[in-house]
Structures are given as C-alpha cells and as structure tokens.
Amino acid sequence: MNNYYLELFEGRKNIIILPHILPDGDTIGSSIALFYALKKLEKRVYIILNDKLPSNLKFLNANSKIITTEDFEKLSIKPDLIITVDSSDIDRLGDRAYLLDLCSEVLNIDHHSTNTNYGKYNLVNSKAAACGEIIYELLKKLKIYIDKDIATALYVALSTDTGSFKYSNTTPSTLRIAADLIEKDIDFSFINTELYQNKPINKIKLLSDVLNSLELHFDGKLAVIYVTNDMLKKNKIDISDTDGIIEYARDIEGVNIAVLLKEFSDNTIKVSLRSKYDFDVSIIAKKFGGGGHKKAAGCTIYDTIDNVKNILLNTFRENFR
Ligand code: AMP
Ligand code: MN
Ligand code: MN
C-alpha cells in the first residue's frame, strides 16, 4: 500500500462513506469501521445509504450511523472526500452516484478483481478476502487504534465475505487479522449469533418455496433457484433479507455452479452466481455488465425471469466444459 493514501485524510473535514447497494456484511462492517476510525481523527463522517439493512446487520447500526441521501441533503454539507467501499463500479452506488458530482476527491476502496478504478484514488487489492482487510491495513498505517467497536465491525466484514472463514479467499493474513480482532476483546459469540443464528422466521418460510423451485441442468452440474416477487409477498419478507439462500443450491453434491434469480420487479432480475471449483463466474457476470469474484459474482438483467434463465443457460452452455 503506497503511503500517499495517508495524506488523503489531512486537512479534510467532511467525509462521506458510500457502501454498495443491496448491502452485505463486508460493505457495512467496513464502512462502520471506517466511520469510527475517522471519528477518532475528529472528522465529520457520514455513511450514506438508502437501502434497508439485512436484519442480521442491524446490530452494527445502533445509534443510526447510516443516513439517507435525503437526511444528508438537509445538512447542506460539501464533502471534502468521498470513500466508496466494496463497489467494483459506479453502478454499485445506485441512486447515490450523483453524490460523486459534489466532490472529485474519490477514494475507491475495494477487493473485486473486476473493479474499474473509477476513483481519483484507487485502493484496490483483489487478494484481500474482504474490504475489511484493506481497511484494517489502512488503519494500521494511519496508526489509528483498533478499539472494540472497530474490531467488531471489521470482524463482521471478514467473517461474512469468507463464509465464516470457509471460502478459498481466506488466507493466512485473513486469519491473522481475525485473530488480532478477537484479541480486541470483541464479543465473538454474540457477533456470530447475531450474524448467523438470528434469521427471521419468514426467511425460513421463504426458503421452503425457494428450494421447491430448484432446477438442475447440465447433468446436475448447474443448479438454478428463484426468489420471485410472489414468494416475497406471500412470505412477507423484504428482498434485503435473501442473502445466503444461494448457498443451499451451491452446496448440493455434484453442483459446480449455482444461479439465483431474484425478481425485483417484472423485468428486473438480480442474478447471483456461485462457483465451487475452478469456473470463474465473474466472467459470466461481466458479460451482463456486472462483476464480482471468481467464486461469487452478480449482475442485473432486464428481462422476464424465464428469459433471463434461458439467456444464462445458453451462456453457460458455451463456456462450460
Ligand atoms: P451477490 O450474489 O449479490 O451476493 O454478489 C456476489 C459478489 O458479486 C459480490 O462480491 C458482489 O459485490 C458482486 N456483485 C453482485 N452484483 C454485482 C453487480 N451488479 N455488479 C458488480 N458486482 C456485483
Ligand atoms: Mn459486498
Ligand atoms: Mn466484499
């Protein structure tokens, strides 16, 4: 990490942090860690996000550190620095992309290999398992003490993006950082219960419908599951609480690739892709304007859910060996 990033924080008072849309544990944990850390440098810090938080991350946002664009506009503040977190391209900022017009000083902190380096400053490391790792290193360089609150948020970032330290993105460095965070006296057991043993009952009911939608293709090597609008309505669950469902399809014996199609509206389908072995699903996601990592990627396709499935099956057929 080049040291010039350290000077970025000098003389800048108002700092905006932007997590990605449809937030997950890494983007929220990393943003909140950065929020606490920059507060220690006596900055005015605003995390701006209009999306709902998944219910298992709400414990991190006690005292509502996250505000909406509407709240922010009421403050009439001109930012001196904008930090995007875990967003491979500007589309991942959704309806907040206009905020980048307020200030050209943009620091893009990310770990996606598909990152487009859209910032004026790009702190992108695709070897990091989570943005939380990059932020941990940054705080060390800035000599900001990692207290219990920061450690808790960073631990959430690392744990969620590595599937609780199971996925192949987990490195010795990831585990060393996690060990250091645990030494900050974080409530390890509480955090894990909040994250993983705290699912809304309606999510479990939804799961039953989603599993019933399972289709296997290419001799059982590719699994497709669906979250339709009807399923969400029937089970009274918000789309923000559908994280992790794809894992049930990926974890089937013999399945190499899992596809989850989430219906946002009639012709807006959010596609999640997971790979278990060597197939790089980020290549497929990129073909449709999305991105991600080798084993976890996504994109949005504007068509009916059936057409999206067929388009994807054809694309996989061409690329599958
Ligand atoms: P998801 O399936 O939404 O959990 O996303 C899996 C991975 O792909 C995450 O690292 C996301 O940041 C990334 N990803 C998902 N959707 C998109 C998209 N539309 N554009 C770029 N990256 C994406
Ligand atoms: Mn993310
Ligand atoms: Mn991430």
Side-chain angles (χ1 to χ4, degrees):
M1 192 187 295
N2 191 317
N3 282 352
Y4 87 92
Y5 293 108
L6 311 185
E7 287 158 28
L8 267 183
F9 298 93
E10 283 172 19
R12 293 171 208 258
K13 188 77 186 164
N14 299 326
I15 301 179
I16 288 180
I17 299 174
L18 300 177
H20 65 69
I21 49 170
L22 296 168
D24 55 24
D26 185 27
T27 200
I28 295 300
S30 294
S31 296
I32 288 183
L34 207 47
F35 173 93
Y36 284 127
L38 294 174
K39 283 281 185 192
K40 284 181 189 274
L41 298 182
E42 299 186 342
K43 307 295 182 191
R44 290 196 206 104
V45 197
Y46 308 90
I47 304 176
I48 305 178
L49 180 68
N50 296 323
D51 296 29
K52 268 195 180 167
L53 285 191
S55 54
N56 66 334
L57 297 177
K58 285 187 181 145
F59 77 102
L60 279 183
N61 191 33
N63 309 323
S64 301
K65 289 170 276 289
I66 302 175
I67 62 170
T68 62
T69 41
E70 201 183 335
D71 297 332
F72 181 72
E73 279 168 14
K74 281 184 199 143
L75 301 171
S76 300
I77 282 169
K78 163 109 180 64
D80 304 312
L81 179 66
I82 298 181
I83 307 177
T84 62
V85 180
D86 202 31
S87 300
S88 51
D89 58 64
I90 288 179
D91 286 348
R92 300 288 285 155
L93 304 178
D95 59 357
R96 298 160 302 155
Y98 79 94
L99 292 168
L100 300 190
D101 297 337
L102 300 179
C103 168
S104 60
E105 297 294 293
V106 175
L107 170 60
N108 157 21
I109 301 183
D110 189 30
H111 68 128
H112 291 93
S113 57
T114 53
N115 192 285
T116 58
N117 291 317
Y118 54 86
K120 179 163 174 187
Y121 315 99
N122 299 292
L123 188 46
V124 178
N125 175 6
S126 61
K127 292 199 180 81
C131 279
E133 273 191 34
I134 301 173
I135 289 170
Y136 174 92
E137 302 292 351
L138 178 68
L139 301 192
K140 288 270 168 186
K141 294 230 161 158
L142 287 166
K143 298 195 169 48
I144 296 175
Y145 177 71
I146 296 179
D147 63 19
K148 186 175 170 178
D149 286 335
I150 296 177
T152 298
L154 289 179
Y155 185 85
V156 167
L158 265 57
S159 174
T160 53
D161 255 22
T162 57
S164 304
F165 308 101
K166 286 193 304 284
Y167 300 155
S168 56
N169 57 356
T170 310
T171 64
S173 167
T174 317
L175 294 173
R176 281 191 194 100
I177 294 172
D180 188 41
L181 298 175
I182 293 171
E183 278 178 345
K184 305 292 181 193
D185 206 26
I186 59 172
D187 198 339
F188 178 79
S189 171
F190 167 78
I191 297 169
N192 281 295
T193 306
E194 287 293 314
L195 288 178
Y196 305 118
Q197 299 175 336
N198 193 24
K199 297 185 178 75
I201 181 65
N202 288 351
K203 180 170 180 175
I204 305 300
K205 290 181 178 166
L206 171 78
L207 192 57
S208 133
D209 287 337
V210 175
L211 294 180
N212 270 321
S213 75
L214 174 75
E215 293 172 13
L216 293 173
H217 297 271
F218 309 134
D219 296 326
K221 291 198 191 72
L222 185 145
V224 183
I225 51 175
Y226 300 81
V227 173
T228 64
N229 244 319
D230 286 346
M231 289 181 198
L232 293 169
K233 268 192 222 142
K234 177 185 153 205
N235 293 293
K236 299 188 182 63
I237 188 107
D238 192 84
I239 202 143
S240 62
D241 268 328
T242 51
D243 217 38
I245 286 181
I246 191 169
E247 289 158 26
Y248 290 91
R250 179 200 59 200
D251 295 351
I252 298 167
E253 181 181 22
V255 166
N256 293 6
I257 292 169
V259 177
L260 168 64
L261 303 178
K262 287 187 203 173
E263 191 178 30
F264 268 72
S265 57
D266 280 352
N267 281 312
T268 304
I269 312 299
K270 168 79 177 72
V271 179
S272 285
L273 303 172
R274 297 292 184 272
S275 147
K276 209 187 292 178
Y277 303 110
D278 270 344
F279 194 96
D280 184 349
V281 283
S282 76
I283 292 173
I284 304 288
K286 253 186 127 171
K287 284 184 196 285
F288 297 98
H293 310 282
K294 183 175 174 186
K295 294 189 175 180
C299 57
T300 300
I301 303 180
Y302 301 92
D303 207 331
T304 62
I305 203 158
D306 270 346
N307 286 347
V308 171
K309 178 187 85 175
N310 289 325
I311 292 166
L312 284 169
L313 285 180
N314 286 333
T315 310
F316 275 111
R317 191 172 289 118
E318 284 162 18
N319 291 272
F320 226 17
R321 275 182 292 138

